[in-house]
Amino acid sequence: MEKRYVIGIDFGTESGRVVIADVEQGGELASHATLYRHGTIVEKLPGSGKALGQDWALQHPDDYREVLKQSVREVLRISGVRPEQVIGIGVDFTSCTILPVDAKGQPLCVQERYRNEPHAYVKLWKHHAAQEEANRINEWAKESGETFLARYGGKSSSEWMVAKVWQVLNEAPEIYQAAYRFVEAGDWIVQQLTGNWVRSNCSAGYKAFWHKQDGYPPRQFFKQLDPRLEDLTDTKLAGDVLPLGTRAGELSAEAAQLTGLCPGTAVAVATIDAHAGVAGSGAVRSGQMVMAMGTSLCLLVLSHNEVSVEGVSGVVEDGMITGLYGYEAGQPAVGDLFGWYCDQAVPGYVQEAAAKEGVSVHTWLEQRAAELKPGQHGLMAVDWWNGNRSVLEDADLSGLIVGLTLQTKPPEIYRALLESTAFGTRKIMEAFEEAGVHVNEIFACGGLPKRNRLFMQIYADVTGREIKIAAAAETTALGAAIHGAVAAGTERGGYPDLAAAAIQMAKVREETFRPIPENVAVYDDLYRQYIRLHDVFGRGGLVMKELKRIKRKLSNHSE
Ligand SMILES: Nc1ncnc2c1ncn2[C@@H]1O[C@H](COP(=O)(O)OP(=O)(O)O)[C@@H](O)[C@H]1O
Ligand SMILES: O=C(CO)[C@H](O)[C@H](O)COP(=O)(O)O
């Protein structure tokens, strides 16, 4: 049989990455990234310059089409694989990233009449301006006695589908009316590739309250939330919800022209980017956990059992691997937090020194921070630069560093920031253990394990656990490709299910990160201090929320 290949397309926060993988051997034959030209739109709309409110984060869908156009062709060119040898395509996307589209699937924001309307654009996962709507969903779920939020750690997030769609309805009812559908960006890409309107059980399950047995919450729930939302799930969120690995359709002639692939190639149901890291790391068994470490950090745990876990983002049956419950929890600013420090807060002399040595500011700081012993800097940071998405689930919380003195140096702060995210992860891991979801094996994937060794060692030391590293450089894209191999099916030379495909196609590196006992002891002590700050500022004190309220009030006045 001729060699067969699959393509995985990973839409991250800053760029889209495409890999091509050998169906039998796995790994990555070639990869290519296309940066989003518009990036993340946080201050004003492109073109008109219309100002956005606080906590907004938009993207432009043309950037995603550019990834399909550029990077798919590039991996074919680099690898020398012929289009007819590609049997399947898989797509993963950050989530909950949504957009309003018309009946043909055209995004409203590219239509002339809606170009200046912020609500017509893609709302990126980290758009946090729907916190009020999320709060009202939480209050109403409690009052109405609906129990579905128990699967989401008891709280809905401002990042998710219903809060975001409701914000559109509240602030731009004409856009809500004009939208034929609100779709997850991953499902939209699948629609663009195949012409089919299909929703993924992964994003519907984790981000839109959909449940394998119960479907969406009852109409009555939405009606009492807001009478205008009564038919939301039958209209704007309509579409068959299909399980991961299913074939969503075949590549249309138009999409074949766009990508350079053959019409008829199998296209898988989309998955969430972090969740694709599960297959991409080959972690397919109960008790295995994957840490998808990039802009944010997602912890993904597989289990035979469904229980309630404090602060979990969601638990979905078949949400990562068929036949298992997949738990997701995480932190919304990890790489982004380190990026903020390098871009916004380091003094000029650090940037100059890094440039002189020909390394990134991250690497310059990492090298110096690695010379410090745990606890030596006397600092403690709390990692809520983009709110808290775990046990506190509150986008209004913000960052904190204590212990600063006139002697504090940038590498010390950098190290404290790396540590703060590891403490946040340990807190989540403890919540899993307390709920009886046991983790026996940990894998790391995403952009950070390959970029920052100190970061990885700190995670091993703070958690006291060995961490295996997924071998693929673009693990999530490989995970998406694995979904493509399953969508192709055995009749086209693919695999029968995700577990079989992942075991064959995904590998881990030989080198692992192991905890260093003397560091573990110091970090145990420091973690207790982290928890004190976590509880004082997160559970009890209102300082951060009040600061946010005052800022919101002032920015509303100045608009
Ligand atoms: N050497 C580094 N150490 C720590 N963080 C880094 C380093 N280089 C880049 N980053 C951060 O990594 C993040 C990008 O992660 P990546 O996994 O590549 O993308 P995505 O999250 O979009 O999938 C950015 O937030 C950036 O600030
Ligand atoms: O919420 C998510 C997963 O459920 C987002 O997709 C994720 O947090 C953003 O991912 P990345 O850090 O890879 O850009």
Side-chain angles (χ1 to χ4, degrees):
M1 202 190 216
E2 201 184 14
K3 270 206 156 296
R4 289 147 288 126
Y5 300 90
V6 276
I7 282 196
I9 315 177
D10 164 39
F11 291 91
T13 300
E14 299 172 352
S15 63
R17 275 109 23 174
V18 177
V19 300
I20 186 159
D22 183 314
V23 172
E24 273 170 296
Q25 313 288 326
E28 303 142 295
L29 212 61
S31 68
H32 187 265
T34 300
L35 264 181
Y36 301 146
R37 188 165 67 83
H38 300 88
T40 300
I41 305 163
V42 290
E43 283 173 3
K44 46 188 192 271
L45 284 189
S48 72
K50 184 163 183 179
L52 303 177
Q54 204 190 314
D55 296 328
W56 279 63
L58 306 180
Q59 287 197 326
H60 199 302
D62 283 354
D63 293 346
Y64 309 147
R65 282 182 66 85
E66 210 48 37
V67 176
L68 299 176
K69 200 166 143 193
Q70 304 286 343
S71 290
V72 176
R73 278 176 205 281
E74 274 304 295
V75 294
L76 288 174
R77 189 188 61 76
I78 300 164
S79 64
V81 169
R82 285 176 284 111
E84 51 283 14
Q85 292 177 286
V86 176
I87 61 167
I89 305 165
V91 174
D92 71 71
F93 217 113
T94 66
S95 176
C96 178
T97 298
I98 63 155
L99 65 159
V101 295
D102 70 12
K104 290 195 180 120
Q106 195 184 47
L108 296 190
C109 66
V110 303
Q111 302 175 16
E112 199 44 51
R113 55 203 284 225
Y114 300 123
R115 232 175 250 281
N116 293 330
E117 174 43 70
H119 280 292
Y121 283 74
V122 176
K123 285 191 169 57
L124 184 62
W125 64 273
K126 60 175 161 172
H127 173 92
H128 282 153
Q131 184 63 46
E132 271 179 37
E133 282 79 3
N135 293 343
R136 281 157 70 189
I137 293 169
N138 292 335
E139 282 156 24
W140 177 239
K142 220 178 197 176
E143 265 175 57
S144 67
E146 281 293 340
T147 54
F148 68 90
L149 277 186
R151 297 195 302 272
Y152 302 93
K155 273 188 181 176
S156 170
S157 162
S158 65
E159 289 181 14
W160 296 350
M161 180 67 98
V162 177
K164 279 176 166 155
V165 170
W166 197 11
Q167 190 201 358
V168 177
L169 177 59
N170 286 332
E171 296 174 14
E174 65 291 358
I175 295 293
Y176 184 87
Q177 289 313 328
Y180 169 66
R181 299 269 161 90
F182 286 92
V183 282
E184 278 278 350
D187 294 333
W188 179 69
I189 292 291
V190 166
Q191 192 272 337
Q192 294 288 294
L193 293 176
T194 63
N196 297 344
W197 294 96
V198 164
R199 288 188 193 266
S200 157
N201 72 323
C202 180
S203 42
Y206 288 100
K207 313 292 180 178
F209 307 146
W210 178 87
H211 184 261
K212 187 175 170 184
Q213 277 83 36
D214 304 344
Y216 291 106
R219 284 170 71 101
Q220 191 62 15
F221 174 79
F222 289 101
K223 184 179 174 188
Q224 285 173 338
L225 212 48
D226 182 329
R228 300 169 299 169
L229 287 176
E230 182 179 5
D231 63 356
L232 174 69
T233 58
D234 301 322
T235 55
K236 313 277 177 188
L237 296 188
D240 287 341
V241 180
L242 297 186
L244 294 180
T246 309
R247 191 182 302 170
E250 295 183 337
L251 199 68
S252 66
E254 199 190 323
Q257 214 163 27
L258 178 74
T259 57
L261 291 167
C262 293
T265 309
V267 179
V269 163
T271 181
I272 300 176
D273 60 346
H275 302 56
V278 170
S281 303
V284 296
R285 285 194 293 275
S286 179
Q288 293 183 318
M289 176 170 104
V290 173
M291 301 193 287
M293 306 171 120
T295 305
S296 67
L297 192 151
C298 293
L299 298 178
L300 308 151
V301 181
L302 295 172
S303 174
H304 286 300
N305 306 315
E306 185 179 16
V307 293
S308 299
V309 183
E310 189 190 20
V312 82
S313 304
V315 50
V316 176
E317 189 179 354
D318 306 334
M320 294 166 198
I321 295 294
T322 321
L324 291 173
Y325 290 95
Y327 290 82
E328 178 193 348
Q331 293 149 268
V334 174
D336 238 4
L337 166 54
F338 317 142
W340 165 83
Y341 184 61
C342 294
D343 297 343
Q344 305 295 338
V346 291
Y349 80 84
V350 170
Q351 292 179 339
E352 282 158 25
K356 209 163 162 194
E357 287 178 29
V359 295
S360 70
V361 175
H362 284 286
T363 304
W364 192 92
L365 289 168
E366 181 201 348
Q367 286 167 353
R368 277 133 198 98
E371 290 162 10
L372 301 167
K373 290 200 170 61
Q376 195 184 332
H377 52 46
L379 301 174
M380 173 63 65
V382 177
D383 52 312
W384 304 330
W385 262 250
N386 196 12
N388 177 292
R389 196 206 259 179
S390 57
V391 297
L392 304 167
E393 187 53 73
D394 192 340
D396 283 349
L397 294 174
S398 49
L400 181 74
I401 305 178
V402 293
L404 293 163
T405 70
L406 294 175
Q407 281 74 44
T408 303
K409 297 272 187 306
E412 296 177 325
I413 298 179
Y414 190 73
R415 184 168 180 129
L417 296 179
L418 300 182
E419 290 166 345
S420 72
T421 67
F423 292 138
T425 294
R426 176 164 165 179
K427 174 76 188 147
I428 297 169
M429 285 169 67
E430 287 181 354
F432 275 117
E433 287 295 330
E434 278 160 23
V437 179
H438 301 296
V439 173
N440 323 316
E441 211 177 356
I442 303 179
F443 300 75
C445 68
L448 297 198
K450 65 185 178 206
R451 293 200 185 112
N452 194 320
R453 293 182 64 83
L454 173 64
F455 172 76
M456 293 312 302
Q457 187 58 50
I458 288 173
Y459 268 65
D461 292 341
V462 167
T463 61
R465 307 289 295 257
E466 180 181 13
I467 302 171
K468 299 180 178 171
I469 311 293
E474 299 295 349
T475 320
T476 36
L478 176 66
I482 290 171
H483 286 70
V486 179
T490 48
E491 71 280 10
R492 295 193 187 187
Y495 291 93
D497 57 57
L498 284 171
I503 287 169
Q504 188 67 25
M505 293 179 67
K507 316 258 176 309
V508 287
R509 281 195 221 155
E510 261 179 38
E511 184 201 24
T512 65
F513 286 87
R514 291 203 172 86
I516 300 167
E518 55 270 33
N519 293 355
V520 173
V522 181
Y523 280 131
D524 276 346
D525 202 357
L526 290 171
Y527 178 66
R528 281 192 285 277
Q529 310 316 315
Y530 173 87
I531 290 302
R532 290 172 81 178
L533 287 179
H534 175 280
D535 290 349
V536 167
F537 283 90
R539 296 198 198 269
L542 284 172
V543 180
M544 293 166 181
K545 292 181 83 68
E546 282 300 299
L547 291 175
K548 198 83 176 229
R549 183 186 60 74
I550 295 165
K551 187 172 175 198
R552 238 179 229 137
K553 201 168 137 199
L554 291 175
S555 73
N556 286 345
H557 279 308
S558 61
E559 266 164 26

